[in-house]
Amino acid sequence: MLKKISMLLMLVLLLAVTGCEPTEKLTGKQGEVKDVTGQKNPITTEIKDPNPLTKEFVVYRVQKNGEEILIPEKIRYAAGKKSREEGALEALINTDPVSKQLTNLFPPGTQVISVKVSNDLATVDFNQNFASRGQGSFNERMMVNAVVCTLTEFPEIKKVKFLVEGKEIDTISGHMDLLDPLTRNPDVLPKPGNKDKKEK
């Protein structure tokens, strides 16, 4: 009799264990928590930008088709605690264009060492990678003008002076004179009202 009772208890225990297992397998969920309070307005969590120092910049991009017209793009970039001028240039150099019709010409490893603004002049100091030789006239012209146009988006900046590793340079590959500060060149910008220059 005792043996039968023991076997009966073991059978009940076995059924209880095996009966729970399929539920877990069918749902595929464990520890799911549901709101059973009946609140009409449940509490929601606001997800904030993990980097509160992300800023929006307008940068000037080069077209893949070889046309010597720069296209402005508005992008968001985590500039950290750097100045807005440094942040804008880093966004220009370190990010890929949003449009597939645009490209980034800056040589690999190009870095902004500093940007100093005095009155209406911004003096930009790049590392040696920026001045890599043999870039060709198109690359040199468009890269330099992209820097100038990006920085002169700030209303107080009218001119840009180029340095490499803290020293003045006369040119990169012999196609542009960089000894004197440069101003924004309207010839490399879309003409007002020219809709076919706008990028989607």
Side-chain angles (χ1 to χ4, degrees), residues 5-110:
I5 294 174
S6 298
M7 289 182 65
L8 184 61
L9 288 173
M10 287 181 63
L11 182 61
V12 171
L13 183 62
L14 183 62
L15 287 172
V17 172
T18 56
C20 293
E21 188 178 3
T23 304
E24 184 179 294
K25 287 184 176 178
L26 285 172
T27 61
K29 298 178 181 178
Q30 298 182 27
E32 182 179 1
V33 178
K34 296 182 180 179
D35 182 7
V36 294
T37 61
Q39 295 183 59
K40 292 183 178 180
N41 299 310
I43 298 172
T44 57
T45 302
E46 181 182 356
I47 300 176
K48 297 182 178 180
D49 189 332
N51 189 339
L53 299 176
T54 297
K55 299 176 183 177
E56 191 172 78
F57 300 103
V58 175
V59 300
Y60 282 78
R61 305 288 199 183
V62 179
Q63 298 184 75
K64 285 183 178 179
N65 62 9
E67 188 173 359
E68 293 193 9
I69 297 293
L70 294 169
I71 303 297
E73 273 195 338
K74 187 177 290 186
I75 62 170
R76 291 183 63 79
Y77 181 77
K81 295 182 179 180
K82 296 185 177 181
S83 69
R84 58 180 186 162
E85 294 83 12
E86 287 182 57
L89 284 189
E90 287 195 357
L92 171 66
I93 294 167
N94 297 332
T95 63
D96 293 322
V98 177
S99 170
K100 294 180 180 179
Q101 299 177 41
L102 306 177
T103 187
N104 186 333
L105 291 181
F106 290 89
T110 298

Side-chain angles (χ1 to χ4, degrees), residues 59-63 65-73 102 105 137-150 152-153 176 182-192 194 197:
V59 300
Y60 282 78
R61 305 288 199 183
V62 179
Q63 298 184 75
N65 62 9
E67 188 173 359
E68 293 193 9
I69 297 293
L70 294 169
I71 303 297
E73 273 195 338
L102 306 177
L105 291 181
S137 60
F138 176 81
N139 282 23
E140 181 175 347
R141 174 177 164 84
M142 301 313 290
M143 185 174 68
V144 167
N145 278 290
V147 171
V148 174
C149 289
T150 296
T152 53
E153 272 296 303
M176 289 190 71
L182 299 178
T183 58
R184 179 178 282 221
N185 182 358
D187 292 339
V188 298
L189 297 174
K191 301 299 183 289
N194 196 350
K197 300 298 182 186

